[in-house]
Structure formats: C-alpha cells, structure tokens
Amino acid sequence: MDQKNKNAKKPTYSKFSQQELPAWKPILTPGWVIATFLTIGALFIPVGLVALSASDTVVEIIDRYDEECIPDVYSTNPESFIQNPATEKTCVRSLRVPKKMVAPIFVYYQLENFYQNHRRFVKSRSDKQLRDPEAYNDTHTCFPQARTSDGKPIVPCGLIAWSLFNDTYRLSTRGKEIAIDKKGIAWKSDMKAKFGSDVYPKDFQKGELIGGAKLDEKVPLSEQENLIVWMRTAALPNFRKLYGKIDVDIEAHETIKAEVENNYNTYKFGGRRSSFFRQRPGSAAKMIFSG
Ligand SMILES: *[C@@H]1O[C@H](CO)[C@@H](O)[C@H](O)[C@H]1NC(C)=O
Ligand SMILES: *[C@@H]1O[C@H](CO)[C@@H](O)[C@H](O)[C@H]1NC(C)=O
C-alpha cells in the first residue's frame, strides 16, 4: 500500500477524536457531597412553597351521611328502608363553609368499601352495545343483567350500569337554591367515542330488583353524563365521582343546607357514603406562576 492511501485513512487530528478532552473527576469527599445536596435541596424550596400555598387555598367539605340518614326505627334493618318505595328518603344536612369557596365548586359523591373493580362486576358490560345502536342485542357479556325476564335485551346491559348511583343532592343557603350543573362532568372523549349518540336506554331497571338510578329513554347514552362518569370504573374501593358543579361563590361561614335523598343501598356490604365539595385548587398557584 502506498503512502498516500494510508494518509487518507488517518483521522484528522482533534482533541475529541484522540480522547484528549479535559475531564472533570470530582472526588466525592463528605463535605463536597453534603454541600451539593444542600444546594440542590435549596433550589427546590420555592417549588415546595408554591405547592404548599396552593394546597392551603383548597377548601373542602366532606359530610358522611349514610348512617345518620336512616330513621331510628329502621336502624337495625336499613335495607328494608331503602327498598320500601313509601319511606321518606330526604334527609337534611347542615354544612359549615370554613372559608370562602370560589366558583367553580366541584360536588362529588364518595363511596367507601365499594368494590367497583370486583371481577364479576367489572366485566358485566357490553362496550359494543354502548356505542353502536345495531349492537343492541350484544348482551352476552352482561350476566346477570343482560335480558329482561321475557328475553328482551337491556340497554345499557350489565351490572355496572344497573348499579348506577342514585342518591341526589339539593343545596341551598338562606332559603336560596344553589344550582348544581350536571353537564360537563364526563370526559369528552368518553362521550364522543364510547357512548353512542344514537343509542337510547331500553328496558333498563325494569326488573324485580332495582340496582340504582333509572335513565331517561329519550336521552341518548352519549348525553347521560352521570352514567358515563359511573361507568369509568374506579380501581380502588374508596373513590369519588363527580356529581356536578356549582357556578357561584359561597361565602365563608355560610351554612349550606343539603337535602340528601338517601336512595342508594350500600347497607348490605357496609359501604359508606359521603358528599364532598371542593373548590378547584390552584387560584393562588396560578397567580404565582403567571406573575
Ligand atoms: C339476540 O341474541 C339472542 C341470544 O344471544 C339470540 O337468541 C337472538 O336470535 C338474537 N336476536 C337477533 C335479532 O339477533
Ligand atoms: C336506588 O337504588 C337502590 C339500590 O341501590 C334501589 O333499591 C332503590 O329503589 C333506588 N331508588 C330510586 C329512587 O331510584
């Protein structure tokens, strides 16, 4: 091989190609390590302060009502109270507002010891049927709430839909109603993609044993937001689901009168129920970040 060719293969000289770049090899003495950690720690203090002040402004009210909303005479057999259509289910609760709550205020219902993720429960639905009007007969995954006693397909079928939460809340302060807006509580993507705008409830909750709320047969599933929220099943036995939103502020030290219709049967398995109110957090955090 001649000299010229050899030279052509020789890399051009640079500190990088020759691995002669200066290197930094810190010696990790205890003093050095401690100083580094302290510096990094100090850098995160402002982040912590922002998070702290944001959570400080979150105003929350929680009111457990499942026990107190059973009249004394039924206290040994609350299920008979729930299943009797003639009993008076409305129960009045007084809620103190500790700090001013700024709209929008989110209203939730909270269930505890409720296994919405139970194997038998979670599978008892037909996603195809929820989406597609032609698939109304697709109920084979919906046992034991697939068909009416005379064999007609139930829409929406399955245990999850059947057990739709049916307590209701009515709120007021000083005799003036506080409206709860129940629109805009479900995920838009669920409303669009998972629940058909041309699928209507049919033969739902018509059986002998009522599992929960009924559905308006004139409203398509894609607009039954309480159902859509309910059917996004919770993975844990204690969970909260959005009930609605309040679009007005509530002043500090007001008392909210909450008329709870205590309909839902969690007594069989010792489930607990609460209403839960929260002002959307972040008004303070937003101020700090944006200015
Ligand atoms: C509906 O499903 C049932 C049981 O799966 C079946 O017997 C019946 O023929 C189906 N009806 C229609 C109209 O497809
Ligand atoms: C509410 O659901 C329970 C079952 O959880 C049922 O027994 C009751 O009849 C239902 N009541 C109403 C008003 O829908």
Side-chain angles (χ1 to χ4, degrees), residues 25-232:
K25 294 179 188 145
I27 297 161
L28 298 177
T29 60
W32 196 87
V33 170
I34 291 170
T36 313
F37 279 134
L38 285 180
T39 316
I40 294 174
L43 287 176
F44 280 100
I45 289 177
V47 177
L49 287 179
V50 169
L52 203 68
S53 78
S55 62
D56 219 30
T57 63
V58 177
V59 189
E60 295 180 345
I61 303 173
I62 184 158
D63 178 49
R64 180 178 170 192
Y65 57 81
D66 58 278
E67 281 183 329
E68 287 172 58
C69 285
I70 290 289
D72 286 345
V73 287
Y74 287 98
S75 60
T76 54
N77 190 359
E79 276 194 76
S80 68
F81 168 79
I82 291 288
Q83 279 161 0
N84 180 351
T87 49
E88 174 56 56
K89 306 286 193 317
T90 306
C91 167
V92 177
R93 314 284 299 163
S94 287
L95 314 175
R96 289 274 295 158
V97 181
K99 276 198 222 168
K100 178 169 176 164
M101 299 180 88
V102 180
I105 300 162
F106 292 77
V107 183
Y108 299 82
Y109 52 91
Q110 177 170 314
L111 291 171
E112 286 168 81
N113 199 28
F114 188 100
Y115 288 81
Q116 211 186 14
N117 64 342
H118 187 281
R119 182 172 42 84
R120 194 174 126 191
F121 191 86
V122 89
K123 280 200 197 145
S124 181
R125 65 190 287 160
S126 164
D127 287 327
K128 220 161 140 196
Q129 189 208 46
L130 296 172
R131 205 168 49 224
D132 179 3
E134 316 244 288
Y136 68 95
N137 200 29
D138 184 78
T139 59
H140 63 280
T141 52
C142 286
F143 177 83
Q145 286 296 323
R147 286 168 186 275
T148 58
S149 50
D150 50 352
K152 285 187 280 186
I154 298 170
V155 186
C157 69
L159 274 181
I160 304 181
W162 176 78
S163 62
L164 179 58
F165 187 73
N166 68 353
D167 287 355
T168 61
Y169 308 141
R170 272 191 55 197
L171 309 175
S172 57
T173 44
R174 301 163 196 262
K176 210 170 137 248
E177 175 157 8
I178 305 172
I180 305 179
D181 184 5
K182 296 183 192 163
K183 291 240 169 274
I185 57 172
W187 291 18
K188 289 277 168 301
S189 55
D190 281 2
M191 295 171 70
K192 270 217 187 90
K194 296 193 174 166
F195 293 78
S197 57
D198 40 12
V199 179
Y200 293 84
K202 197 134 205 309
D203 295 303
F204 181 70
Q205 223 69 272
K206 298 263 168 76
E208 207 151 279
L209 199 58
I210 306 292
K214 299 196 161 70
L215 296 172
D216 185 343
E217 297 199 348
K218 292 191 280 300
V219 178
L221 293 190
S222 63
E223 283 167 37
Q224 309 254 10
E225 293 194 41
N226 59 336
L227 176 76
I228 298 175
V229 169
W230 179 252
M231 295 205 60
R232 182 164 274 283

Side-chain angles (χ1 to χ4, degrees), residues 251-266:
E251 296 303 323
H253 313 304
E254 280 284 6
T255 302
I256 301 176
K257 178 180 172 196
E259 290 168 78
V260 174
E261 220 181 272
N262 181 27
N263 292 319
Y264 203 57
N265 187 1
T266 48

